[in-house]
Amino acid sequence: MSGAGGFEAYDEHDRDQEKDGREGRGERGERGEEAGQGGPGGYGDANGPDGPDGQGEPDGPGHGDGGDGPTDGPGPGPTPGPQPCIPMPRSSVEDTGRALPALEELGDLAPPPAPLVLEHHVLKALLGAWALAACSPEETAAVEEHLGDCGSCADEALRLRGAVGLLHRPESLDLDPGLRTRVLGSCLDRRPPRIPVPEWAAPYDAETARLDALLQDIGDAEWHAPVRLRWFEDDSATSRRTTVAGVIAHLLTVDGLVAVALGLDDPLGDVDARAPTPAARTEAYWRASHFPPTRAVRAPWREQSHDLVRTVSFTGGGAGKPAVPYGDFELPLHDAMLDRAFECWVHAEDIAEAVDYPYDPPSPRHLHRMIDLAARLLPGVLAARRRTGLAAPAPGRHLVPAGEPGRSLRLEIEGLGGGDWLVPLDSPAAVGSAAHEVAHVALDGVEFCRLAAGHLSPTEAAAGQDGDRKAIMDVLFAAASLSRM
């Protein structure tokens, strides 16, 4: 029905729209019916002449019940289309009369539990567990709150936390020096090479690879970091100042002695050295450089090290020929390659110290070979020192025939790569004998190597000593005399 008794046709869509409008206005329509059902301001007095809008425009007839209720007079006609739905304001949960949610349902909004209240002696007993991070969260909170009030417990906690730091050895970011050897060994076991690297050349191959990895990690400026080369000469400490690039140039020229003995190119080229010694060759290379060496020296050094390993691999495991001359002495090829591996490690530590880089000793089996070389060289060095007056003959000393046992010193090297060596004292051709042992020296393996490199004074070596003191000092100074530039 519409108007004062007229009809209008409408379809199901219009019926649905009218129904939706009626439902949207249901609450307000009910209020209108209670206020007078269709009088002026049919929604009550909310929009009437005194309503809040202040316009004084009464609603049309029939609006109190959505257009279906009785009217007080003729209306203007039906209102076209659905009316807007305005939701009422949401009420607070406190105004609904419903029960509030329990604290357990609030999750993170729940207040924290009350802190533990513990006695002083209990909190003090928990300090050890707290330093090890073994306390529960509640106990940790109680202990930390107590430390802010108790000075004695705070001091004890500081000492315990420092002790915990000593229990855990700081881990180096560098790989284990033996990892390369283990990986290569596993690979070569599965697929043996056609021409394997001989065992006596493996330490040089490993140490040059480790040093090259260090050089890859340093920047351009660090190649000019100052480095001091140290060695012993005439029983006194000697040093030479250079740079990281200068150290690599030194290794390049001294490795060139082995290269020349194998028929490879000499890195000095046309530069003439005053003597065929490592020091003279190094000084000649430095003087011939128009500018201080830079990182460009790394490429020829690494290429030469690869050539040396490749070439000695073809020589097989023979008697160690040809010999490599060092100027004042010469070494078999086997020992020369060990000597170069030893010096590569020593100078790599010099570089690592200059650029503040962690560096570990060689793998135990390679370290053992280096120590064995130094122990085998000691009798000859002792004889040379006596000829030059640096070491006086011991009382009762007498020469023994070659191959016969004589007075001996037991050199005990502790740690990984260590062992026992009997060093003949009276003649380089004599044989060490336990029956003729007159002294005993014990040293850590790395410490003995640093003594042989001239980085440690014989008088400062922490050596366990027993027996003939004169023989012990002769051997320690002879070990330091093995060092050179």
Side-chain angles (χ1 to χ4, degrees):
M1 174 182 282
S2 177
F7 291 89
E8 286 186 0
Y10 61 95
D11 55 15
E12 291 294 325
H13 178 68
D14 293 330
R15 184 183 298 109
D16 293 340
Q17 288 182 343
E18 182 178 357
K19 181 180 180 181
D20 294 341
R22 186 183 301 112
E23 291 175 357
R25 297 190 303 272
E27 182 180 353
R28 300 182 66 179
E30 292 174 1
R31 292 173 58 189
E33 291 175 358
E34 295 173 0
Q37 296 192 11
Y43 288 125
D45 292 333
N47 293 323
D50 299 330
D53 55 5
Q55 301 297 324
E57 296 181 0
D59 293 335
H63 285 196
D65 195 22
D68 294 333
T71 62
D72 294 337
T79 301
Q83 299 300 314
C85 300
I86 304 175
M88 293 295 292
R90 297 181 63 181
S91 59
S92 174
V93 68
E94 288 85 353
D95 299 334
T96 61
R98 300 176 183 176
L100 296 178
L103 293 179
E104 292 77 5
E105 301 177 4
L106 296 178
D108 294 339
L109 299 178
L116 291 177
V117 179
L118 303 175
E119 297 182 3
H120 179 271
H121 70 278
V122 177
L123 292 168
K124 187 174 182 180
L126 288 174
L127 291 179
W130 172 84
L132 292 170
C135 289
S136 66
E138 295 80 8
E139 292 172 340
T140 300
V143 170
E144 291 177 352
E145 183 179 359
H146 175 69
L147 295 180
D149 300 329
C150 181
S152 61
C153 287
D155 293 339
E156 181 67 16
L158 185 62
R159 288 192 294 269
L160 290 174
R161 183 58 63 89
V164 169
L166 297 176
L167 295 177
H168 301 281
R169 181 181 178 184
E171 297 182 359
S172 173
L173 297 179
D174 284 350
L175 297 176
D176 181 4
L179 178 61
R180 180 178 185 272
T181 302
R182 293 196 299 270
V183 172
L184 286 177
S186 176
C187 295
L188 296 177
D189 288 341
R190 296 185 179 184
R191 185 178 179 182
R194 252 185 340 170
I195 304 175
V197 176
E199 285 292 328
W200 47 268
Y204 178 80
D205 185 28
E207 292 308 310
T208 52
R210 290 209 304 146
L211 175 55
D212 187 58
L214 185 156
L215 298 177
Q216 287 181 352
D217 285 349
I218 66 177
D220 292 339
E222 290 176 313
W223 280 85
H224 302 285
V227 180
R228 187 168 294 278
L229 302 179
R230 296 168 290 169
W231 69 96
F232 263 72
E233 187 173 346
D234 297 334
D235 288 351
S236 60
T238 308
S239 64
R240 177 71 158 80
R241 183 183 176 89
T242 183
T243 62
V244 171
V247 174
I248 301 302
H250 168 61
L251 292 175
L252 173 69
T253 55
V254 183
D255 286 356
L257 292 170
V258 183
V260 172
L262 293 173
L264 301 176
D265 293 336
D266 190 348
L268 283 181
D270 298 333
V271 178
D272 291 330
R274 296 175 181 175
T277 61
R281 287 173 59 87
T282 301
E283 295 287 354
Y285 187 94
W286 287 344
R287 287 194 306 268
S289 300
H290 298 289
F291 300 98
T294 63
R295 69 179 308 148
V297 75
R298 175 191 166 204
W301 167 77
R302 192 64 178 124
E303 183 179 358
Q304 178 179 258
S305 66
H306 283 307
D307 291 341
L308 289 177
V309 174
R310 187 182 304 111
T311 303
V312 299
S313 298
F314 284 95
T315 65
K321 297 295 183 180
V324 179
Y326 280 75
D328 299 336
F329 62 96
E330 64 179 26
L331 291 174
L333 181 59
H334 292 187
D335 292 345
M337 293 299 291
L338 277 175
D339 172 76
R340 301 316 307 143
F342 176 78
E343 187 167 358
C344 182
W345 163 47
V346 169
H347 290 320
E349 282 198 336
D350 292 336
I351 293 173
E353 182 180 356
V355 300
D356 196 18
Y357 191 100
Y359 207 79
D360 291 329
S363 62
R365 66 174 180 174
H366 293 168
L367 186 64
H368 178 81
R369 286 179 172 270
M370 298 175 190
I371 295 172
D372 178 71
L373 173 63
R376 288 188 285 109
L377 294 177
L378 282 177
V381 175
L382 280 170
R385 287 174 56 84
R386 290 194 181 98
R387 288 194 299 267
T388 57
L390 294 176
R397 171 182 177 268
H398 62 282
L399 295 177
V400 297
E404 295 294 329
R407 291 191 321 129
S408 305
L409 176 141
R410 180 178 297 276
L411 178 63
E412 180 182 355
I413 303 300
E414 301 172 343
L416 297 177
D420 286 351
W421 286 264
L422 288 170
V423 181
L425 299 174
D426 297 333
S427 173
V431 176
S433 171
H436 296 77
E437 180 180 326
V438 297
H440 184 185
V441 174
L443 275 167
D444 176 72
V446 175
E447 186 173 355
F448 175 75
C449 288
R450 287 173 178 161
L451 174 65
H455 288 196
L456 182 66
S457 171
T459 58
E460 297 174 355
Q465 306 174 5
D466 183 32
D468 189 341
R469 302 283 298 179
K470 176 62 177 172
I472 292 172
M473 294 310 298
D474 281 346
V475 169
L476 292 179
F477 273 93
S481 299
L482 291 170
S483 63
R484 60 179 180 273
M485 179 178 175

